Amino acid sequence: MKTLYLLRHAKSDWDDPRLADHDRPLSARGHRAAATMANYWAARKGGPPRPDLVVCSTAVRARATLEIVAAAWGTDLPPTSFDRSIYLCGEELLLDRVTALPEQVGAALFVGHNPDFQLLARDLCGRGDAALRQSLATKLPTCSFVEITVPDGLSWRDLGWGSCTLAGFTRPRDLEER
């Protein structure tokens, strides 16, 4: 079974209005949320997600988020590709990037942006806990982690709207409330 993980970047800093959107760093709150997610990954049953490939937006805030959560992997980092084409590309182009994954990739983690991630997850997942899917459809907060499973027998290129299962949706505030 193939697994698609989505990690929305943590909260960015808007203090310098001269910075281009692509160049905004994480805020202090974003750093805390990413550290919370890294701790969750490290402590979760079965350990952190083990993608065969990480595809990360080139935006500063996405790269910084990945750098922080990667601490959960220790020195065993998965291969990573930094891809500007997933920076605010739209849901359809993001799906195109997912369906172009090599078939030998069993699990992939994408680190990037909304609204693309929320729309992709909402529209890919026709199965899974209804309340969880509704929660995701309502809002995908910064630094949230989504786990999507692909049915056995489907390849990446076969993915279509409604074909997958929402297996998990974790928001930093869910972890802070524990």
Side-chain angles (χ1 to χ4, degrees), residues 2 11-12 26 36 46 67 69 72 82 85 89 124 131 140 156 170:
K2 294 188 180 302
K11 186 81 173 158
S12 60
L26 293 181
T36 297
E67 183 177 320
V69 298
F82 294 96
S85 75
C89 63
L124 269 181
L140 180 65
W156 293 117
T170 306

Side-chain angles (χ1 to χ4, degrees), residues 137-178:
T138 302
K139 186 173 184 183
L140 180 65
T142 53
C143 209
S144 291
F145 177 63
V146 178
E147 183 176 351
I148 299 169
T149 56
V150 177
D152 283 335
L154 275 187
S155 67
W156 293 117
R157 71 178 178 280
D158 296 329
L159 293 185
W161 304 130
S163 65
C164 298
T165 301
L166 179 61
F169 173 35
T170 306
R171 302 167 294 196
R173 77 175 166 142
D174 298 332
L175 304 171
E176 293 162 358
E177 292 172 357
R178 290 183 180 179

